[in-house]
């Protein structure tokens, strides 16, 4: 049987509780070697008691025999009375302690005492009932502080509240069930579209597409499209399930042009654009670290467009950008940059020219009246603009015009196919 041990401990913050009396507990996300993750809650006195037991179990590594041999990290004793300030100040010390503890030799970091301490308990999954008039307050530790960067000390971060727009039934034990209208607090927003949240006494992963901000339908953290694109590589094949998605195989290089919080990013492959699950993408030039950035789920989260009976509290729904708009803006960007397929790359001399002034159409432009043999216009003579290329015409016309042109071509080909064969 494979040995189960703690692979990583991520320090999330602490929670202020009022039952049975006011006290503080720290929130730790424990990641095991079997890729499972558990959120546990531990008070500082309990953490210090565990530390003392570990020192007694390994006296040599604790420095009791010779201080030079000590490798177990130090931990200050708890105070008689804990306050929110002391609890918050202690976060960096605990984050560094947990990191050092897990990186100790296996005989210590994988011993039964360590595994039992970080193992999930019934009270972790079902915390004590809350006070009827006071709600538990969760305060998340900033990312820089959790990683040991104490050059800038910021204040506590209050968890964001979101509303559930439709009933959601969990598909694994790591998720939670939600009902329409439930209010949840977000502990962690993963880029793959699975968010870790808490709803009353329940805690687990839920798809971001089932949540909406309370202030408005727009997601305040959604970035604007970047049509310059970022190079990514697909780590897993995906077959499109909807018209606005892309089918890609493993190992394909694509460009990400819009990173959305629901985990479905807009990517560009050649001329085509479409949605693709971000959990199947890896940025080129970066090492793939599984220690801290392990994929939370094995399947992409559901998209907002697939949710039935979504009930929003906002009058206007979330504004989405259509694939036609993505494609049109992407083509326009590539044309201006000179990277459009089958188009000559612009030189430095052509950089200031308009896309209408394309060299490939120069031979089809009639010489304007009054022009000199050298091609220069006489003063006062009207300038006749060159004819734009077919690609640019289709790019700048409206969607209705594009549809009519496409219908015209289809009718043309049907008539051509019906012509008798005279050969």
């Amino acid at each position: 049987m494979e040995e189960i041990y703690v692979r990583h401990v991520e320090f999330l913050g602490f929670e202020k509780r009022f039952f049975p009396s006011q006290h503080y507990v720290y929130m730790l996300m424990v990641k095991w070697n079997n890729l499972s993750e558990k959120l546990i809650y531990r008070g500082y006195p309990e953490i210090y008691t565990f530390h003392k037991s570990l020192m007694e179990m390994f006296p040599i590594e604790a420095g009791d025999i010779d201080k030079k041999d000590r490798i177990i990290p130090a931990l200050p004793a708890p105070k008689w009375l804990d306050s929110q300030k002391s609890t918050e100040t202690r976060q960096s010390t605990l984050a560094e302690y947990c990191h050092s503890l897990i990186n100790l030799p296996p005989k210590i970091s994988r011993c039964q005492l360590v595994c039992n301490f970080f193992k999930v308990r019934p009270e972790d999954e079902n915390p004590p009932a809350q006070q009827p008039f006071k709600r538990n307050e969760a305060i998340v530790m900033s990312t820089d502080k959790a990683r040991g960067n104490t050059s800038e000390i910021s204040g506590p971060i209050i968890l964001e509240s979101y509303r559930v727009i439709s009933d959601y039934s969990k598909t694994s034990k790591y998720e939670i069930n939600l009902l329409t209208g439930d209010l949840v607090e977000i502990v962690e927003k993963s880029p793959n579209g699975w968010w870790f949240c808490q709803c009353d006494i329940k805690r687990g992963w839920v798809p971001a597409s089932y949540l909406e901000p309370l202030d408005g339908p727009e997601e305040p953290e959604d970035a604007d499209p970047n049509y310059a694109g970022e190079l990514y590589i697909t780590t897993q094949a995906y077959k499109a399930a909807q018209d606005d998605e892309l089918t890609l195989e493993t190992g394909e290089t694509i460009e990400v042009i819009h990173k959305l919080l629901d985990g479905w990013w807009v990517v560009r492959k050649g001329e085509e654009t479409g949605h693709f699950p971000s959990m199947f993408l890896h940025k080129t030039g970066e090492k793939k670290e599984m220690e801290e950035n392990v994929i939370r789920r094995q399947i992409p989260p559901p998209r907002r467009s697939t949710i039935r009976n979504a009930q929003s509290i906002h009058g206007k729904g979330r504004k989405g950008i259509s694939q036609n708009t993505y494609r049109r803006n992407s083509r326009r960007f590539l044309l201006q940059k000179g990277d459009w397929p089958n188009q000559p790359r612009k030189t430095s001399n052509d950089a200031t020219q308009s896309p209408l002034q394309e060299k490939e159409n120069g031979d089809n432009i009639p010489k304007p009246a009054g022009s000199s043999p050298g091609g220069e216009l006489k003063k006062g003579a009207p300038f006749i603009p060159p004819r734009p290329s077919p690609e640019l015409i289709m790019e700048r016309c409206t969607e209705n015009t594009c549809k009519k042109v496409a219908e015209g071509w289809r009718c043309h080909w049907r008539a051509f196919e019906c012509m008798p064969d005279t050969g």
Side-chain angles (χ1 to χ4, degrees):
M1 184 176 179
E2 185 183 1
E3 179 188 10
I4 304 299
Y5 59 88
V6 179
R7 183 173 49 82
H8 179 71
V9 177
E10 185 175 350
F11 204 92
L12 299 181
F14 63 92
E15 189 174 82
K16 182 179 181 180
R17 294 181 176 178
F18 300 92
F19 183 84
S21 60
Q22 179 175 312
H23 63 287
Y24 299 89
V25 292
Y26 291 100
M27 302 184 293
L28 306 172
M29 181 65 73
V30 183
K31 304 179 182 181
W32 300 81
N33 65 318
N34 60 0
L35 299 185
S36 63
E37 300 178 353
K38 294 291 184 179
L39 179 65
I40 65 173
Y41 299 84
R42 299 291 183 266
Y44 191 78
E46 183 181 6
I47 297 176
Y48 186 75
T49 301
F50 156 76
H51 170 71
K52 297 295 290 184
S53 302
L54 192 67
M55 298 272 287
E56 295 174 0
M57 182 178 291
F58 299 97
I60 297 178
E61 291 78 2
D64 291 345
I65 299 176
D66 189 344
K67 292 184 179 181
K68 297 181 181 179
D69 296 330
R70 175 163 186 171
I71 58 175
I72 297 178
L75 195 66
K79 298 182 178 180
W80 286 103
L81 182 62
D82 266 345
S83 63
Q84 180 165 330
K85 184 177 181 180
S86 61
T87 304
E88 182 182 349
T89 305
R90 206 185 281 134
Q91 289 184 108
S92 298
T93 302
L94 278 176
E96 185 177 350
Y97 176 82
C98 292
H99 177 76
S100 302
L101 177 65
I102 301 304
N103 286 281
L104 290 175
K107 72 172 185 178
I108 303 177
S109 61
R110 302 182 185 181
C111 70
Q112 196 62 38
L113 178 64
V114 174
C115 292
N116 289 340
F117 177 76
F118 288 109
K119 189 177 297 182
V120 67
R121 304 170 184 170
E123 57 267 25
D124 294 325
E125 298 181 328
N126 299 295
Q130 302 185 21
Q131 283 276 18
F133 304 107
K134 288 187 177 181
R135 189 177 183 181
N136 294 342
E137 300 175 5
I139 301 175
V140 180
M141 185 180 184
S142 64
T143 305
D144 291 339
K145 207 171 180 181
R147 293 177 180 175
N149 182 8
T150 57
S151 59
E152 294 183 5
I153 301 177
S154 59
I157 303 173
I158 306 300
L159 297 181
E160 295 179 272
S161 294
Y162 278 70
R163 180 184 175 276
V164 181
I165 64 171
S166 183
D167 296 347
Y168 176 74
S169 299
K170 64 180 183 180
T171 57
S172 73
K173 61 181 180 180
Y174 306 110
E175 304 170 19
I176 59 175
N177 295 319
L178 296 174
L179 297 176
T180 305
D182 284 347
L183 295 180
V184 300
E185 292 179 322
I186 309 302
V187 177
E188 178 183 351
K189 291 182 178 180
S190 178
N192 59 24
W194 289 98
W195 292 2
F196 194 87
C197 65
Q198 59 184 20
C199 180
D200 294 331
I201 62 173
K202 299 182 296 182
R203 294 168 176 83
W205 297 98
V206 299
S209 54
Y210 276 74
L211 307 176
E212 68 175 357
L214 297 179
D215 297 335
E218 295 297 323
E219 197 63 67
E221 299 177 28
D222 260 344
D224 294 329
N226 175 25
Y227 292 102
E230 296 181 53
L231 291 179
Y232 278 75
I233 298 177
T234 57
T235 58
Q236 186 171 330
Y238 175 77
K239 185 177 181 180
Q242 298 189 52
D243 295 338
D244 60 350
E245 298 175 0
L246 281 185
T247 298
L248 297 173
E249 300 297 331
T250 305
E252 293 195 51
T253 302
I254 53 88
E255 295 175 286
V256 174
I257 61 177
H258 200 183
K259 297 180 179 180
L260 300 173
L261 290 181
D262 63 358
W264 288 85
W265 293 357
V266 181
V267 304
R268 179 173 60 212
K269 178 68 174 179
E271 303 179 20
E272 295 300 318
T273 63
H275 290 278
F276 194 82
S278 63
M279 64 189 305
F280 297 157
L281 296 174
H282 176 66
K283 193 168 186 178
T284 58
E286 291 185 357
K287 294 182 179 180
K288 192 173 183 181
E289 299 180 356
M290 293 298 294
E291 285 75 16
E292 297 186 17
N293 298 324
V294 64
I295 296 177
R296 314 284 195 218
R297 309 256 60 83
Q298 298 300 322
I299 58 174
R303 294 183 58 191
R304 174 67 66 92
S305 57
T306 63
I307 302 176
R308 297 182 178 180
N309 302 323
Q311 301 177 15
S312 174
I313 59 174
H314 308 294
K316 295 182 180 180
R318 181 185 299 182
K319 296 180 181 178
I321 303 177
S322 67
Q323 283 303 320
N324 287 334
T325 303
Y326 280 123
R327 203 171 293 115
R328 183 168 57 251
N329 292 338
S330 179
R331 289 174 179 173
R332 182 180 294 115
F333 176 85
L334 293 177
L335 280 171
Q336 293 175 351
K337 186 180 177 183
D339 289 344
W340 183 250
N342 300 325
Q343 293 288 330
R345 185 175 296 274
K346 295 181 181 179
T347 62
S348 58
N349 296 330
D350 300 329
T352 58
Q353 294 182 352
S354 167
L356 290 173
Q357 296 172 318
E358 297 182 7
K359 190 176 185 302
E360 63 180 19
N361 297 318
D363 298 336
N364 300 326
I365 302 172
K367 297 296 181 180
S371 61
S372 62
E376 296 182 359
L377 292 176
K378 295 182 179 180
K379 292 184 178 181
F383 174 74
I384 302 176
R387 178 181 177 82
S389 64
E391 292 83 3
L392 194 59
I393 294 175
M394 295 297 293
E395 174 63 30
R396 297 200 171 185
C397 65
T398 63
E399 295 181 9
N400 291 333
T401 305
C402 291
K403 291 180 181 178
K404 292 180 181 179
V405 172
E407 292 175 0
W409 274 108
R410 282 196 293 268
C411 294
H412 173 76
W413 281 110
R414 287 173 187 167
F416 179 78
E417 292 173 352
C418 295
M419 292 178 62
D421 188 1
T422 58

